[in-house]
Amino acid sequence: MAKLSSAPYRTLASLSLTHPPRRLIPVSASCRSLTTSSHRRKPSNVGNVGLAEKDTIIGQQAHEPLTIEGIKARRVKAGKLVAPTASYSDSDMFKSPQAYDKPKARRWDHLLSQESLSRGACMLKQAAKHLKKPGLISLGGGLPTADNFPIDSLSMRVPSPPDFAPTTSSSSSFSPGIVIRAGKHDVRDGAHGGVHDLSIALNYGQAVGAAQLLRWATEHTELAHRPPYADWRCALTIGSTGALEQALRMLCDRARADALLTEEYSFSTALETAAPLGVRVFGVRMDGQGLLPQSLDEILEGWDEAARGARKPSVLYTVPSGQNPTGATQGAQRRRDIYAVCRKHDVFILEDEPYYFLQMQPYTGSHADPTKPSVAPPATPEEFLAGLVPSLLSMDTDGRVLRMDSFSKVVVPGSRLGWITASEQVVERYIRHAEVASQGPSGISQLLIYKLVDETWGHDGYLRWLMHLRLEYTRRRDAILAACETYLPRDIVSWVPPAAGMFLWLKVDHTQHPQSATKSILEIEDDIFHSCIDKGVLAIRGSWFRAEQELPPSGLFFRVTFAAASEADMAKAIERFGAAVRESFGR
């Protein structure tokens, strides 16, 4: 097997790896509900097959192109989605037939924790299988009647694609917009779309999420990523932080002395999630494109369990696009190289991608020649998708990636709603955990998001919303970079213009500090941080994001965001940060 050299970064296209053969899965042609599914198209939540009180019903998915129009045609041919209260569904009900002309994923029994392996199906759901008996009167279930729910209707005004601009420059209201309504018995009465309503959303549901929104997430995932194996699934989540906590408990075991790899500067909440689980975290060196594949390979190749106090890591947590905190975005070849190293060492990947669709226009600089043409933004959803850096999920031939998507950064954080995509086996284990933890996302959140992204916008409108956000974040990023170029001492502070996300990583050259011989990096950082507070700006200390807090920091950094403040306030804040740096350095 080829081995990476310690030479400067290079691509890994020549890395030779061997893999076990996989069999192809033919396409099933039956119209299906859960109780009539073929052997090859069983849902991922195998413990719940036939156990829900009622099954979600949808017609056969026709063989149509994997396009927005193709999805519309599939839906027309499949007929109306019928998904009553607490009905179970799975991604196989909504995937295209093309998905099954691919190999199956590997199994991950050897990586699952004892906690995950010990989880069984919910016993109350096992009793629900008897509810299908004709004439049976149930005194067993705990689903209350919707007649006692005190909410009869909801409405909200949303923008109408493609016009997402606010009414005025001083207003955040959208005009004319569309008013979306949801009633308690819309499905029964055939009102307001007739697919989802409050009687369903306000009651208990399945841990995999509501079929109405799961269908949209499955279609969106296939449209954007086209996973290259057959048995992939989606499951709705309570957001990426909750999904990460469950994933770590599934794949890492304190009793095995398991370890987790991540970027040397990583999302602090992810680090704080791992710590109480007894999972040791180790950082991988980075450059302007994020995690370095050769550093990852060197760490794994030379792992010493006795010296490290942990087993050789089998899980990598990474934020490939607009990484938090550094703002770095892995290029396509970088992602392929990281994936190759993970295959070589049999490492499972947690791909956390809240900023994936916030990939921005190229930065040309605040002093760019206005006579030279800039890169035009994508004009259509198809151009937008084609221009995105390929995801790790899109190159995952093994099923070794669990991808986490979220509505938090692209719709509203308060929805606490997202979804995972992974192999059938991994998603089934995730659902077993969710059944006794969150029990799935909020029904109201699912209803509101479904009404917005599916019933009102559809895939075309949602992608056009993302195209709108792309330009909004490009404008904001350019504004903060212009402020940096104006107000920061360039001989001391440097940065890489972010290509995605909402963060800018400022590197301060501590070696030029007049007290660098007597003060540590952390002491200089502390001086600048408190000076910033005194001057009226909050910039987050880079040391707070270190994966290995017990080691000295590799440099002096600060994280700033361009997500919320106005352009004028960003300029003031950066000017104040620059003053704090100059004061600390005696300039």
Side-chain angles (χ1 to χ4, degrees):
M1 183 175 293
K3 180 178 178 181
L4 292 171
S5 72
S6 58
Y9 177 72
R10 60 182 179 83
T11 64
L12 306 183
S14 61
L15 189 61
S16 175
L17 300 166
T18 58
H19 312 284
R22 307 186 194 91
R23 60 189 182 87
L24 292 176
I25 308 301
V27 177
S28 170
S30 61
C31 175
R32 65 182 296 247
S33 73
L34 289 184
T35 54
T36 60
S37 60
S38 73
H39 172 71
R40 284 185 292 270
R41 304 210 34 200
K42 282 184 178 178
S44 60
N45 195 2
V46 292
N48 269 0
V49 175
L51 302 187
E53 179 177 357
K54 296 178 181 178
D55 291 331
T56 296
I57 300 174
I58 190 69
Q60 173 188 348
Q61 295 296 313
H63 200 293
E64 296 286 346
L66 292 178
T67 62
I68 294 172
E69 292 303 315
I71 290 172
K72 290 180 181 178
R74 287 211 326 258
R75 285 198 179 194
V76 169
K77 294 179 179 179
K80 184 177 180 179
L81 173 65
V82 180
T85 300
S87 58
Y88 187 77
S89 61
D90 74 277
S91 288
D92 268 354
M93 305 179 85
F94 313 121
K95 286 156 60 175
S96 73
Q98 295 95 307
Y100 302 97
D101 298 327
K102 298 171 184 176
K104 291 191 72 174
R106 286 185 54 186
R107 289 193 61 83
W108 304 102
D109 305 75
H110 63 294
L111 295 187
L112 292 172
S113 67
Q114 186 58 45
E115 175 187 352
S116 183
L117 290 170
S118 67
R119 294 191 184 278
C122 179
M123 295 180 69
L124 290 176
K125 288 185 172 63
Q126 292 179 12
K129 64 185 177 183
H130 301 293
L131 295 173
K132 297 181 179 65
K133 181 178 179 180
L136 185 98
I137 299 174
S138 174
L139 299 179
L143 283 79
T145 173
D147 294 340
N148 290 332
F149 297 161
I151 303 174
D152 283 325
S153 64
L154 294 173
S155 66
M156 59 182 178
R157 182 182 293 276
V158 302
S160 175
D163 183 16
F164 294 114
T167 308
T168 66
S169 59
S170 60
S171 170
S172 60
S173 299
F174 298 100
S175 180
I178 304 172
V179 176
I180 302 174
R181 292 183 170 85
K184 185 181 286 186
H185 296 294
D186 289 346
V187 173
R188 183 194 67 189
D189 300 338
H192 304 140
V195 173
H196 204 0
D197 65 20
L198 285 166
S199 73
I200 299 170
L202 296 176
N203 218 317
Y204 289 109
Q206 295 286 340
V208 70
Q212 294 87 344
L213 189 56
L214 180 64
R215 172 173 65 172
W216 180 92
T218 300
E219 293 168 346
H220 173 82
T221 297
E222 191 165 23
L223 187 65
H225 307 290
R226 306 190 183 191
Y229 62 96
D231 51 334
W232 59 272
R233 304 287 186 273
C234 296
L236 302 184
T237 71
I238 57 172
S240 293
T241 301
L244 175 63
E245 194 268 349
Q246 285 191 206
L248 290 177
R249 289 175 62 176
M250 287 166 51
L251 296 164
C252 298
D253 198 326
R254 183 198 303 259
R256 297 188 308 210
D258 282 347
L260 177 70
L261 291 172
T262 187
E263 290 90 349
E264 61 177 318
Y265 291 92
S266 187
F267 180 35
S268 56
T269 301
L271 302 176
E272 291 158 358
T273 300
L277 301 178
V279 179
R280 290 284 305 279
V281 180
F282 296 90
V284 182
R285 288 188 296 109
M286 306 173 70
D287 66 4
Q289 279 194 57
L291 188 146
L292 282 163
Q294 73 268 28
S295 176
L296 177 65
D297 186 63
E298 289 166 1
I299 289 172
L300 291 166
E301 194 72 46
W303 191 265
D304 185 330
E305 291 191 6
R308 296 276 193 171
R311 284 205 319 163
K312 181 178 178 180
S314 57
V315 180
L316 168 69
Y317 169 76
T318 182
V319 181
S321 307
Q323 196 256 359
N324 187 358
T326 68
T329 295
Q330 300 167 9
Q333 187 59 50
R334 175 68 60 94
R335 298 181 195 216
R336 284 190 283 268
D337 293 349
I338 290 170
Y339 187 80
V341 174
C342 289
R343 294 185 85 184
K344 174 184 174 183
H345 294 280
D346 197 22
V347 171
F348 196 91
I349 303 171
L350 301 178
E351 179 186 22
D352 190 2
E353 279 284 36
Y355 315 106
Y356 180 76
F357 292 102
L358 297 182
Q359 296 182 37
M360 295 172 282
Q361 293 290 106
Y363 182 65
T364 56
S366 60
H367 304 293
D369 186 348
T371 64
K372 293 183 179 180
S374 59
V375 177
T380 66
E382 290 77 15
E383 286 184 19
F384 172 71
L385 288 175
L388 297 174
V389 180
S391 63
L392 288 166
L393 176 65
S394 73
M395 54 189 72
D396 180 23
T397 54
D398 292 341
R400 70 171 63 248
V401 172
L402 184 152
R403 177 183 170 91
M404 292 174 277
D405 279 282
S406 174
F407 290 109
S408 292
K409 302 302 189 294
V410 293
V411 183
V412 287
S415 67
R416 305 315 310 139
L417 187 59
W419 71 96
I420 60 163
T421 307
S423 69
E424 175 182 18
Q425 179 192 22
V426 172
V427 170
E428 188 272 335
R429 289 291 88 194
Y430 180 91
I431 294 170
R432 291 282 82 79
H433 188 151
E435 284 175 341
V436 294
S438 66
Q439 293 197 22
S442 160
I444 292 181
S445 286
Q446 293 184 76
L447 175 64
L448 296 181
I449 294 296
Y450 161 78
K451 286 280 186 177
L452 176 66
V453 303
D454 189 311
E455 189 176 289
T456 303
W457 284 353
H459 291 290
D460 182 85
Y462 178 70
L463 291 172
R464 291 186 184 277
W465 169 253
L466 296 178
M467 293 162 62
H468 164 73
L469 288 183
R470 174 192 182 99
L471 297 182
E472 283 293 299
Y473 276 91
T474 297
R475 177 179 60 80
R476 287 180 162 276
R477 177 208 56 190
D478 291 354
I480 200 170
L481 289 176
C484 289
E485 293 171 5
T486 301
Y487 296 115
L488 298 186
R490 301 294 297 275
D491 59 327
I492 299 175
V493 185
S494 60
W495 58 87
V496 175
M502 52 181 60
F503 300 110
L504 175 63
W505 191 237
L506 300 173
K507 180 177 182 179
V508 181
D509 186 0
H510 65 280
T511 63
Q512 296 190 48
H513 196 279
Q515 295 176 291
S516 61
T518 57
K519 278 191 170 184
S520 68
I521 290 176
L522 293 178
E523 289 172 323
I524 298 172
E525 178 194 66
D526 188 68
D527 289 343
I528 296 173
F529 176 76
H530 286 98
S531 178
C532 283
I533 297 298
D534 292 340
K535 297 180 187 304
V537 60
L538 176 62
I540 303 301
R541 300 168 64 154
S543 64
W544 290 350
F545 300 96
R546 286 178 297 155
E548 299 177 72
Q549 289 287 326
E550 67 276 12
L551 299 181
S554 60
L556 175 54
F557 302 95
F558 284 88
R559 190 200 76 176
V560 295
T561 179
F562 46 91
S566 67
E567 293 184 22
D569 282 347
M570 281 193 284
K572 290 179 185 177
I574 292 299
E575 184 176 13
R576 293 168 182 174
F577 177 80
V581 171
R582 287 188 175 92
E583 183 180 276
S584 179
F585 278 71
R587 297 291 182 92

